[in-house]
Amino acid sequence: MANFDVSKRDSFGSKIGVIAATAGSAIGLGNIWRFPYVVGENGGGAFLFVYLAFILAIGIPVMLSEFVIGRSAQLSPYGAFKKLAPGRPWFLIGIMGVGAAFMILAFYAAVAGWTLEYIFQSVKNGFTGKSPDELSTMFDEFRQDSLRPVIWFLLFMGLTAWIVISGVRKGIEKYTKILMPILLVILVVLCIRAVTLPGAGAGLTFLFKPDFSKINAETILKALGQAFFSLSIGMGTLITYGSYIKKNDNLATTAVSVSFADTLIAILAGIAIFPAVFAFGINPGAEEGLVFITLPTIFQQMPGGYYFSLLFFMLLAVAALTSTISVLEVVVAYFVEELKMTRKKATIFATLSISVLGIVAAGSWGWFENLTLFGLNIFGLLNFTSANILLPLGGFFIVAFIGWYFGKEETRKEAGNEGALKARYLPVYMFIVKFIAPIAIALVFLNGLGIVKF
Ligand code: TRP
C-alpha cells in the first residue's frame, strides 16, 4: 500500500491498492452529497447527460494526464512541473492546486462535520417520527447553530491531520477496500427502497429523462465543475497519487476503472434520492440540505432503518475521510518539498491555516451569516469558486501541458510503460488533450461565467 512519506518514496503495493486509494480520493461527499443537489438544482436528466459526456470526453483524459505527469516526475504537482519543465511557468499550476486544495478542504471538511452530527443524531434516534419538513428545519437549525458545525468541522480536520501524520493511513486504506463495497451495498438497498416508494416514478423521470430546455451556459459550467470535483481532478491530487503508482501498472485502465466506479456511486446516490424526493414532496432544489433531509426520511420507511442510518452516515464519514486526506496531502507535500518542513510540522501548519478558513465556512449559516459576496456566503463562495473555476482552469493547463509541452513521445513512454503496453488509444488521447479538451473547457468556462456569449 501507499506510503506517503516523501522521504522514502514508496509505491502502491498492488494494483488494487492504487485503485483503492485513488477511488478513495474520488468517491466521497462529491458523489453522495454534492452530485444529487447539483443535479436537483440544475434540472435533472439533461444535466446528467452533459455531466456524463464531460466525464468521458474530458474527465478521464485529465485523470490520465495527471497520472502521466506524476508517475513520470515522481514528485507532487509543484515539484513535478519544475522538474518536467525547468525554467518554465508551468509550476504555477502546482501553486494554483495548493490554493484550490486549501479552499476545497475548508468547506468539504465542514460538510464532513455535518456527517458526524448525523451519526450522532442516528445514535440518539433523532430522526424518528419527523416529517420531511421537520427534518428540513432540523438541518437548518443545526447549520445556524454557530458552535456545533464548527466543533464537528474541527474534529474532522483533526482526524484528517492525525491520519496524514501517523502511518495509520495504510490501515485506513486497507479498510477502505472493505468499507466502500459495504457503502455500495447500502446504497443499492436504499435505491431499492426508494424506487419502490409510491410515486417514485416521477423521480426517475426527473433524473433520467433529459429536458434540454433546462440547460444553459451556467448549468453546463456546473456540470463540468461537478465532473472535475467528483473525479478529484484539476488540482494535482492525482499527480501526487500518480507519483506513487508502480512503473508497470496500466495508467489508462486505472483512470477508466476509477472514473467508472466514481460515476456509478454518483448515479446510485441519484437513484436513491430523487424517487424519495418526489414521493415525499421534498424540494429538489433544497441545496446543500437535500441529502440530509431525504435520506433520514427514507430510513424511517425501512425495517432496520435505525441501523441503516447509523451505518450509512458512518460509512459516508469514512468516504469523506479518504477524500480529505488526499486533499490535505497536496498542501503537505508542497510544504515538505518546497519549504523543507518536516512532515509533521507541515501537516500541523497546513491544518491550522486551513482551519481558519474552514471555521468561517462551517459557520456560514451561523456566526458568519452576514459575510457574503456576489450573493453567496463564504461556504458557497469556496464551493463555487473551487469546483467551477479553479479545477477547470487547472484541468485546462494540465491537458495543455501534456498536449503541447510534454508531447506525444514522452507520453507514449510513460503511459505505455516504456513499450510494454501498446497504448493504442494514444492518438485519440493526444488529439483530445491537444484540441478537444482545452477548447471545450475554455468555451464552457468563458460562456458559463458570461465572459463570452455564444
Ligand atoms: N472527489 C472527492 C469527492 O467527490 C473530493 C476530492 C478529493 C477532490 N480530492 C479532490 C475534489 C481533489 C477536487 C480535487 O468527494
Side-chain angles (χ1 to χ4, degrees):
M1 281 306 299
N3 180 339
F4 282 80
D5 184 339
V6 243
S7 59
K8 314 188 244 101
R9 180 156 284 275
D10 211 343
S11 57
F12 286 96
S14 65
K15 207 172 273 172
I16 189 75
V18 194
I19 297 184
T22 314
S25 166
I27 296 168
L29 297 167
N31 310 59
I32 290 166
W33 160 73
R34 200 176 192 279
F35 175 80
Y37 95 75
V38 175
V39 171
E41 276 182 344
N42 292 289
F47 182 89
L48 176 62
F49 181 86
V50 177
Y51 172 80
L52 293 176
F54 283 155
I55 294 276
L56 271 180
I58 301 178
I60 295 175
V62 174
M63 189 183 285
L64 178 56
S65 303
E66 292 203 21
F67 286 161
V68 167
I69 293 167
R71 195 176 66 173
S72 152
Q74 295 290 299
L75 285 168
S76 61
Y78 177 82
F81 286 110
K82 285 227 143 162
K83 179 170 171 188
L84 299 179
R88 300 284 184 136
W90 292 102
F91 67 90
L92 293 172
I93 303 173
I95 295 188
M96 195 166 78
V98 173
F102 231 84
M103 294 171 61
I104 289 176
L105 200 52
F107 82 87
Y108 193 95
V111 183
W114 302 350
T115 67
L116 298 182
E117 164 79 12
Y118 273 62
I119 294 175
F120 175 64
Q121 290 298 340
S122 298
V123 171
K124 42 171 234 177
N125 219 350
F127 309 128
T128 306
K130 289 207 167 69
S131 67
D133 276 347
E134 287 166 328
L135 287 165
S136 171
T137 309
M138 180 179 165
F139 177 74
D140 287 336
E141 279 175 356
F142 159 65
R143 267 200 321 190
Q144 286 157 6
D145 177 339
S146 295
L147 201 54
R148 263 192 304 162
V150 170
I151 289 181
W152 289 126
F153 159 77
L154 290 173
L155 193 65
F156 206 91
M157 282 301 288
L159 204 58
T160 306
W162 175 68
I163 289 166
V164 170
I165 293 177
S166 65
V168 296
R169 162 169 204 153
K170 280 188 193 172
I172 296 284
E173 272 156 11
K174 193 162 83 204
Y175 291 118
T176 346
K177 282 187 252 175
I178 307 160
L179 294 177
M180 288 307 105
I182 302 178
L183 180 65
L184 182 83
V185 172
I186 296 195
L187 263 182
V188 171
V189 173
L190 279 174
C191 288
I192 294 171
R193 175 65 278 210
V195 299
T196 52
L197 288 166
L204 293 175
T205 308
F206 177 81
L207 181 60
F208 291 116
K209 192 159 174 242
D211 170 0
F212 287 101
S213 68
K214 294 203 175 126
I215 287 290
N216 58 41
E218 197 189 334
T219 56
I220 293 177
L221 175 62
K222 286 184 175 166
L224 184 68
Q226 176 60 27
F228 273 74
F229 190 87
S230 192
L231 294 178
S232 297
I233 55 177
M235 55 161 262
T237 298
L238 298 187
I239 292 181
T240 309
Y241 275 37
S243 73
Y244 297 103
I245 298 179
K246 278 190 177 165
K247 286 290 185 188
N248 58 0
D249 274 345
N250 189 333
L251 297 181
T253 51
T254 304
V256 171
S257 334
V258 170
S259 303
F260 176 80
D262 187 72
T263 306
L264 179 71
I265 298 278
I267 291 179
L268 286 176
I271 298 176
I273 303 276
F274 287 108
V277 162
F278 282 81
F280 299 120
I282 297 166
N283 172 15
E287 300 188 326
E288 302 94 349
L290 188 66
V291 174
F292 291 98
I293 298 162
T294 311
L295 293 182
T297 311
I298 309 181
F299 291 129
Q300 293 190 54
Q301 309 289 323
M302 292 166 62
Y306 176 88
Y307 298 99
F308 271 112
S309 171
L310 185 58
L311 194 58
F312 178 84
F313 284 114
M314 280 165 47
L315 291 171
L316 187 56
V318 174
L321 194 57
T322 55
S323 300
T324 52
I325 53 183
S326 79
V327 184
L328 185 58
E329 185 65 39
V330 172
V331 184
V332 171
Y334 175 75
F335 287 168
V336 170
E337 287 174 20
E338 302 310 320
L339 306 181
K340 308 288 171 230
M341 288 184 176
T342 64
R343 196 168 166 75
K344 187 169 172 190
K345 231 195 198 149
T347 310
I348 293 171
F349 185 54
T351 305
L352 289 180
S353 43
I354 293 167
S355 295
V356 174
L357 191 59
I359 288 173
V360 184
S364 285
W365 290 266
W367 287 321
F368 305 101
E369 63 171 329
N370 294 323
L371 208 56
T372 59
L373 201 64
F374 308 117
L376 293 170
N377 60 22
I378 298 303
F379 179 100
L381 211 59
L382 294 171
N383 188 351
F384 183 92
T385 315
S386 59
N388 303 327
I389 297 182
L390 294 179
L391 299 182
L393 267 182
F396 174 88
F397 288 114
I398 287 166
V399 286
F401 178 80
I402 293 287
W404 295 94
Y405 186 87
F406 200 60
K408 190 166 180 177
E409 285 325 305
E410 288 300 313
T411 306
R412 183 193 300 283
K413 267 196 228 152
E414 193 58 52
N417 297 356
E418 309 283 337
L421 299 172
K422 291 228 167 54
R424 272 193 247 273
Y425 58 83
L426 207 79
V428 179
Y429 166 70
M430 288 310 292
F431 186 72
I432 291 180
V433 294
K434 254 181 129 150
F435 303 107
I436 309 274
I439 294 173
I441 296 171
L443 292 183
V444 169
F445 188 77
L446 296 174
N447 202 23
L449 293 179
I451 300 171
V452 173
K453 278 284 164 225
F454 296 104

